[in-house]
Amino acid sequence: MLTQIPGVTCVKLYGYGVLGGRLSGARAAEAHDALTAHRSRRDSLARTVRDLGGSPVAAAPAYALPFAVPDASSALRLATELEDRVAGVYSDLVRAAQGPLRQEAAAALREAAVRAVRWRGGSVAFPGLAERPSAPVPSAST
């Protein structure tokens, strides 16, 4: 399970590279900050995998995106989708891990959920769970 997480994070890095080119201003800066955070998380997870005796999944040169990203609107959808997907992976790790690894997974889940709220403009009841409703809950700022 843990050997898959750095690969999932690489998909996010690729996706943020694509969507960052479709955004401007504050949204572009937010995408850059998210890219930096995911890169740091990927590097930390890769070290953890190696420390546990595994081999992290290497990044592919490119990934298939879930839909075309021709403009800013689709870039926002992609950012939300990326955060929702990685939140699901971290949710699985929270359930499977113990101790410090579980705490780190919970922190990563929280970070992904917060970024998804920012991109989506509202929250969902249970970030990271496939059973959650698909309709966002409006945030206090919207």
Side-chain angles (χ1 to χ4, degrees), residues 6-123:
V8 169
T9 303
C10 292
V11 173
K12 289 187 66 182
L13 293 172
Y14 178 81
Y16 267 104
V18 170
L19 71 90
R22 311 294 191 282
L23 301 173
S24 61
R27 286 298 202 177
E30 192 173 351
H32 181 269
D33 290 347
L35 175 65
T36 300
H38 287 300
R39 185 175 288 129
S40 176
R41 180 73 60 194
R42 176 208 56 200
D43 294 346
S44 175
L45 285 167
R47 280 190 300 276
T48 300
V49 168
R50 284 190 296 276
D51 290 348
L52 292 171
S55 298
V57 176
Y63 295 91
L65 297 176
F67 49 83
V69 186
D71 55 24
S73 176
S74 59
L76 294 176
R77 272 193 13 233
L78 177 61
T80 302
E81 177 78 15
L82 292 171
E83 296 299 344
D84 284 344
R85 286 183 180 193
V86 82
V89 172
Y90 283 120
S91 177
D92 290 344
L93 184 56
V94 167
R95 286 190 294 265
Q98 299 176 29
L101 182 56
R102 186 176 197 183
Q103 292 172 334
E104 186 170 334
L109 170 57
R110 182 183 61 245
E111 291 166 9
V114 168
R115 279 190 296 268
V117 166
R118 289 184 182 138
W119 292 121
R120 180 184 290 111
S123 63

